[in-house]
Amino acid sequence: MGLFGNMIEKKICSVCGEEIKLLGNRKLEDGNLCKNCTNKLSPWFSERRHSTVDSIKEQISYREANQMAVNNFRPTRTIGEHYKLYIDDNNRKFTVSSSNNLMEANPDILDFSQASGIDLKIDENRRELKRTVDGKQVSYNPPKYEYSYTFKATIFVNGNPYFDDMEFSISNGSVSTGEHNMSQGMATSGWSVIRNFATAPGMDKYQRYINIGNEMKEAIEGMRMQAGAQSQANPYNQTGFNSQD
């Protein structure tokens, strides 16, 4: 049939059994997956191509059970603007999502004990500014640059079989600071701004995302401390059985 014949050959989803529409196939290690079933997987899952049909079915079952956890999730704190860290202090649960409708999004609900840390990162981009001389674009001497920044967070997770971190953007796009180089003379670890750039364009947004990142970091560290204290108070609670039984 040739290459074209293989492209139009009907494929069946190995998970739900439905016919896969043209260009809608997602390959598995030992089968095919339709777009609808793909959308049921965790948004933090990245090993689909190397997964078996059975493992995908298991994950979909896990995600269906997670929907019940979402139903019982009652956020007491919400941190962020774009992607948000939702925290249920009463049930010691948390999740991350860019959606305001958690029931529809079905974000993975995690226990405080599964938060193992957080990494905050600022990515800098710069574009050289040039001037026109005799109809040509030439560099300034010394060169001038326009700077912009994006803010990201990665929460590290233990105890989940489908992902071990959640990487997301704190900022919705990049923040331009004009010719002000924010990375010069500042400590990115902990996101503490040392130099005073109160007049820099976009400084209010820049500082706001710094504050959001620090607030998320403080919350994750608080979860770890609470989980550690609970583990010491109830040494058999994490495994669900007493080793002396």
Side-chain angles (χ1 to χ4, degrees), residues 85-225:
L85 172 62
Y86 294 92
I87 304 170
D88 182 347
D89 290 289
N90 296 324
N91 294 305
R92 303 170 63 84
K93 305 289 184 183
F94 74 98
T95 191
V96 173
S97 178
S98 60
S99 175
N100 293 321
N101 188 336
L102 297 185
M103 283 300 297
E104 181 178 302
N106 190 24
D108 297 88
I109 304 298
L110 303 169
D111 189 81
F112 278 10
S113 63
Q114 292 180 267
S116 62
I118 181 172
D119 179 57
L120 303 175
K121 183 180 180 182
I122 302 175
D123 287 332
E124 178 184 273
N125 294 286
R126 71 178 188 176
R127 181 180 67 87
E128 185 178 0
L129 299 175
K130 295 187 177 183
R131 57 197 178 99
T132 303
V133 177
D134 296 330
K136 296 181 180 180
Q137 293 288 298
V138 298
S139 299
Y140 287 92
N141 187 18
K144 292 184 178 182
Y145 299 94
E146 185 178 66
Y147 297 88
S148 62
Y149 298 86
T150 55
F151 302 75
K152 297 178 181 178
T154 302
I155 297 177
F156 300 101
V157 172
N158 59 48
N160 188 286
Y162 303 110
F163 58 91
D164 53 19
D165 63 62
M166 300 183 290
E167 181 179 340
F168 55 93
S169 175
I170 291 177
S171 57
N172 189 4
S174 61
V175 176
S176 175
T177 59
E179 294 181 47
H180 295 274
N181 181 357
M182 303 302 294
S183 63
Q184 184 178 359
M186 72 167 285
T188 56
S189 177
W191 287 15
S192 299
V193 177
I194 297 175
R195 296 180 65 182
N196 182 13
F197 285 112
T199 60
M203 185 59 197
D204 55 340
K205 285 186 178 181
Y206 188 99
Q207 187 63 61
R208 187 166 74 246
Y209 293 137
I210 291 278
N211 293 339
I212 289 174
N214 284 334
E215 190 176 356
M216 286 184 175
K217 184 173 183 178
E218 182 179 351
I220 294 297
E221 292 302 320
M223 293 178 198
R224 295 181 64 195
M225 291 180 62

Side-chain angles (χ1 to χ4, degrees), residues 12-62:
I12 302 298
C13 178
S14 304
V15 173
C16 70
E18 294 294 325
E19 182 178 334
I20 300 175
K21 295 181 180 180
L22 184 64
L23 303 179
N25 187 39
R26 305 292 185 269
K27 291 293 294 181
L28 299 176
E29 189 174 284
D30 59 349
N32 301 303
L33 193 68
C34 68
K35 184 177 180 180
N36 185 49
C37 287
T38 301
N39 291 337
K40 294 179 181 179
L41 303 178
S42 169
W44 312 112
F45 179 66
S46 61
E47 296 297 321
R48 183 263 309 163
R49 183 64 180 83
H50 303 290
S51 299
T52 64
V53 173
D54 286 342
S55 67
I56 292 297
K57 288 181 178 179
E58 290 173 0
Q59 183 178 167
I60 290 178
S61 295
Y62 148 77

